[in-house]
Amino acid sequence: MNRESMIFCAVSIAIAVAVSAIGFRIAALPADVVARAVKPVPAETLPDVELGGGFGKVSVIDLVGFYVENPPAAPSADAGAAPAAKRFGGC
């Protein structure tokens, strides 16, 4: 490689690193928000969730209770090629 190509590559990498560092500082969450996100909170303290579609606001406790009482239906054979349900290891 000639000298101009090496200088161009080095300057391009330096500019990309600088832009990434500045962009990360702008896009990163503040430290207090990150610290609050690490701690789990009881469901009773969460605000109501707006479901839309005429359902209005519902508490998180009611949503979890409805999910526990009415789990999603298993895909049937006549439903076509429905994707398999993904389990995330939660409740």
Side-chain angles (χ1 to χ4, degrees):
M1 289 183 135
N2 56 12
R3 185 173 185 207
E4 291 86 16
S5 296
M6 295 298 287
I7 292 172
F8 174 76
C9 289
V11 170
S12 297
I13 290 174
I15 290 173
V17 168
V19 168
S20 298
I22 292 169
F24 178 78
R25 291 189 184 270
I26 293 171
L29 291 173
D32 62 331
V33 174
V34 173
R36 282 184 291 158
V38 172
K39 291 184 189 176
V41 296
E44 295 85 11
T45 61
L46 295 173
D48 292 345
V49 178
E50 175 66 43
L51 295 180
F55 291 106
K57 289 187 175 187
V58 179
S59 70
V60 174
I61 294 293
D62 290 339
L63 285 174
V64 171
F66 181 79
Y67 181 81
V68 168
E69 292 173 3
N70 305 297
S76 61
D78 60 337
K86 292 184 180 179
R87 298 290 178 184
F88 58 88
C91 297

